[in-house]
Amino acid sequence: MAHSDQFKALVISETADNQFVRTVEQKHIDDLPKGDVVVQVLYSSLNYKDVLSATGNRGVTRNYPHTPGIDAAGVVASSQNDDFQPGDEVIVTSYDLGMNTAGGFGQYIRVPAEWVVPLPHGLTLREAMIYGTAGFTAALSVWYMIENGVAPDAGDILVSGATGGVGSIAVSILAKSGYAVTAVNGLVDEADYLNQIGAKEVIEIETASDTSKRPMLKGLWAGSIDTVGGDILATTIKSMQSGGTVTCCGNVASPDLPLNVYPFILRGVTLIGIDSQNCPMPIRKKIWEKIASEWKIDWLEALTTEAAFDELDSKIELMLQGKHKGRTIINMSA
Ligand SMILES: NC(=O)c1ccc[n+]([C@@H]2O[C@H](COP(=O)([O-])OP(=O)(O)OC[C@H]3O[C@@H](n4cnc5c(N)ncnc54)[C@H](OP(=O)(O)O)[C@@H]3O)[C@@H](O)[C@H]2O)c1
């Protein structure tokens, strides 16, 4: 590929009065950071972290102007690493992509070879981005829960933030794997959608969020995939059955966890933190293989919205308003 090639990228810039604006700009390959592998991005996807980066959250992105996009799937354009050849179909998620490294909301990225995952057999590039970081995180959470001994016959599994990206895929993978799933749905009433993707029961945030301040609650759940934190996560941990496992990956409700030690010392509850960004490559590849095979959801399209690159701005706005549902993939060449 000639290095004079131009491509489109969404750029977030900071104005003199500390506002953050989103514009589409023409970029050159030479503008990209150093790396071994240049990838033509055919699909990207929208994650909560992208919205944080797109609105100036310094915890995610330190320096602007910046191109967000923590997910990218596409074709290798050029490579200085023998493991990858031009034309190879690849997935790049996590690490520093889209945070402080120009990300998947540009039509090209350049990254270290260590960040690149060959597209597993059984998955298209488009499907890989339907999962994306959200789906990978959901799958990683389910994997850790199962590794910790929670089998389908152990009892019900609670999933919070269930209409969101992580939540929707977690509900789907669990339902496909034979688990009985109760979904917490708060901001919009989406019970029909949640039943369609496999939830057995749907409960409201108020039901999942105890305000009595009791140290322990009735043991309801064998496992839980939490994506929201705060009171809902604290209530969930207090409501676990003996030996239950909870995974924790997000903080859309709150980063706080108002809790005591009793669920851990009286019921042996396990709380597992999920960090998809730094997931070691051998586990990462294993999870992508599962996503492409036994955990491949038959109803992927039911949770997918496809947007063209030019619609990205309005989709970011929707997620900002908490109105986003399921997974939004971005067709970078449309
Ligand atoms: N640790 C990791 O590796 C990792 C990786 C990916 C994502 N995450 C985190 O996981 C979380 C979810 O990500 P996502 O991509 O699924 O986001 P998302 O698509 O925006 O979904 C979040 C969902 O949470 C629920 N929600 C929103 N505001 C809430 C509130 N104030 N109280 C209770 N529930 C609320 C909504 O679902 P309902 O309307 O159905 O309740 C919403 O759809 C984020 O915090 C994200 O940063 C972490």
Side-chain angles (χ1 to χ4, degrees):
M1 182 179 49
H3 274 209
S4 60
D5 279 0
Q6 287 201 321
F7 63 89
K8 279 194 297 184
L10 182 77
V11 178
I12 314 300
S13 310
E14 187 173 6
T15 62
D17 56 348
N18 302 112
Q19 302 296 306
F20 289 86
V21 291
R22 307 189 280 268
T23 49
V24 173
E25 294 183 8
Q26 288 288 326
K27 291 278 184 188
H28 289 86
I29 299 296
D30 290 347
D31 296 331
L32 292 172
K34 288 190 168 50
D36 317 303
V37 185
V38 176
V39 178
Q40 181 186 6
V41 181
L42 297 179
Y43 286 95
S44 183
S45 87
L46 190 60
N47 293 276
Y48 192 71
K49 216 181 228 179
D50 300 320
V51 171
L52 296 177
S53 174
T55 50
N57 184 305
R58 301 276 183 194
V60 176
T61 300
R62 282 188 304 277
N63 300 312
Y64 294 87
H66 170 67
T67 294
I70 64 170
D71 283 347
V75 175
V76 172
S78 64
S79 169
Q80 292 168 356
N81 182 293
D82 290 344
D83 290 344
F84 298 101
Q85 307 303 325
D88 286 356
E89 293 186 310
V90 294
I91 304 169
V92 187
T93 66
S94 305
Y95 305 101
D96 193 48
L97 187 72
M99 295 181 69
N100 292 292
T101 299
F105 294 167
Q107 290 172 319
Y108 283 85
I109 55 171
R110 181 159 50 198
V111 292
E114 296 74 40
W115 297 5
V116 183
V117 174
L119 183 74
H121 182 71
L123 214 55
T124 65
L125 292 170
R126 184 177 180 279
E127 287 168 342
M129 287 295 96
I130 296 177
Y131 287 90
T133 290
F136 178 84
T137 304
L140 188 64
S141 305
V142 170
W143 185 73
Y144 273 115
M145 190 194 82
I146 294 173
E147 286 286 296
N148 206 46
V150 181
D153 61 2
D156 291 356
I157 311 296
L158 188 73
V159 177
S160 62
T163 62
V166 179
S168 289
I169 303 234
V171 169
S172 300
I173 290 176
L174 287 164
K176 184 181 168 80
S177 308
Y179 289 86
V181 180
T182 297
V184 184
N185 168 231
L187 299 186
V188 280
D189 181 12
E190 291 285 356
D192 288 348
Y193 164 74
L194 289 165
N195 291 143
Q196 192 191 352
I197 65 169
K200 185 190 76 169
E201 203 182 331
V202 179
I203 61 174
E204 295 177 347
I205 283 185
E206 292 69 35
T207 313
S209 193
D210 178 71
T211 50
S212 73
K213 304 245 185 308
R214 276 183 290 164
M216 299 266 277
L217 298 163
K218 189 174 171 195
L220 298 174
W221 318 115
S224 174
I225 307 296
D226 183 81
T227 72
V228 301
D231 286 335
I232 294 178
L233 176 55
T235 303
T236 302
I237 293 170
K238 291 183 194 176
S239 308
M240 296 306 291
Q241 295 170 7
S242 198
T245 298
V246 184
T247 65
C248 155
C249 75
N251 59 354
V252 284
S254 168
D256 296 332
L257 190 53
L259 196 58
N260 59 68
V261 299
Y262 294 120
F264 305 109
I265 64 175
L266 297 181
R267 289 192 186 149
V269 171
T270 303
L271 176 61
I272 301 178
I274 301 297
D275 172 12
S276 65
Q277 193 185 348
N278 298 301
C279 174
M281 192 47 100
I283 297 180
R284 185 178 296 280
K285 284 186 174 165
K286 185 190 301 202
I287 298 297
W288 275 114
E289 290 296 338
K290 279 186 167 289
I291 284 172
S293 54
E294 65 189 279
W295 285 350
K296 187 161 178 192
I297 302 161
D298 310 316
W299 50 90
L300 268 184
E301 292 304 325
L303 42 94
T304 305
T305 303
E306 179 169 334
F309 179 79
D310 293 342
E311 297 172 281
L312 188 47
D313 190 69
S314 62
K315 297 299 176 192
I316 289 173
E317 203 56 48
L318 206 65
M319 195 176 250
L320 257 179
Q321 294 166 14
K323 292 181 184 158
H324 177 253
K325 183 172 92 176
R327 295 283 298 137
T328 296
I329 56 168
I330 315 299
N331 185 335
M332 295 296 293
S333 41

